[in-house]
């Protein structure tokens, strides 16, 4: 069994948090926490396909230049090669799962 108390933890961006729930060579499942007003850098992955699933809060996600808002228990898939960026523009913290196959670490290119 694994949870945020037992998972490997890291900090990214502007004091955002991640917990590795599954960290295998072929699959990554990370629970992430973004404080209000934070955003990820726009980027894409050469190989990784990702699925973002909102646990609590509200996420604004831009995929290929189009923005959409995801609410609790909604998700969206991002194919490889597609620029994307997630924002917490809401008035509360945002917690979500990001599932990557294969894992996205080391497969990230900042989009300019």
């Amino acid at each position: 069994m694994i949870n945020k108390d037992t998972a490997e933890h890291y900090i990214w961006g502007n004091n955002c948090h991640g917990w590795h729930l599954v960290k295998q060579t072929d699959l990554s499942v990370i629970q992430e926490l973004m404080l209000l007003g934070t955003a990820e850098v726009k980027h894409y992955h050469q190989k990784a396909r990702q699925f973002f699933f909102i646990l609590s809060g509200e996420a604004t996600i831009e995929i290929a230049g189009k923005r959409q808002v995801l609410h609790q228990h909604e998700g969206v898939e991002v194919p490889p090669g597609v620029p994307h960026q997630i924002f917490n523009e809401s008035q509360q913290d945002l917690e979500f799962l990001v599932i990557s196959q294969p894992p996205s670490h080391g497969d990230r290119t900042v989009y300019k």
Side-chain angles (χ1 to χ4, degrees):
M1 199 236 0
I2 194 161
N3 59 42
K4 288 185 349 183
D5 294 329
T6 59
E8 177 187 338
H9 172 259
Y10 65 97
I11 296 177
W12 60 274
N14 188 12
N15 200 32
C16 296
H17 298 264
W19 294 268
H20 287 281
L21 302 178
V22 176
K23 190 177 181 181
Q24 300 296 327
T25 58
D26 60 345
L27 178 66
S28 169
V29 179
I30 300 172
Q31 186 169 343
E32 295 196 350
L33 171 67
M34 294 179 71
L35 305 178
L36 57 107
T38 57
E40 187 179 27
V41 174
K42 186 184 288 189
H43 66 281
Y44 63 93
H45 304 282
Q46 292 290 331
K47 297 178 183 177
R49 175 175 301 277
Q50 295 187 303
F51 182 75
F52 293 82
F53 185 80
I54 308 308
L55 299 173
S56 63
E58 181 180 283
T60 301
I61 189 162
E62 182 178 310
I63 302 170
K66 295 183 181 179
R67 282 186 171 220
Q68 58 186 304
V69 176
L70 298 175
H71 301 93
Q72 184 177 17
H73 299 152
E74 294 180 332
V76 67
E77 181 180 351
V78 181
V82 177
H84 58 283
Q85 183 176 14
I86 190 168
F87 307 84
N88 184 357
E89 298 177 332
S90 72
Q91 298 303 309
Q92 62 184 6
D93 292 345
L94 166 63
E95 200 151 4
F96 60 96
L97 296 176
V98 58
I99 301 160
S100 305
Q101 193 279 320
S104 61
H105 289 82
D107 177 35
R108 178 176 142 148
T109 302
V110 174
Y111 186 79
K112 297 180 183 190

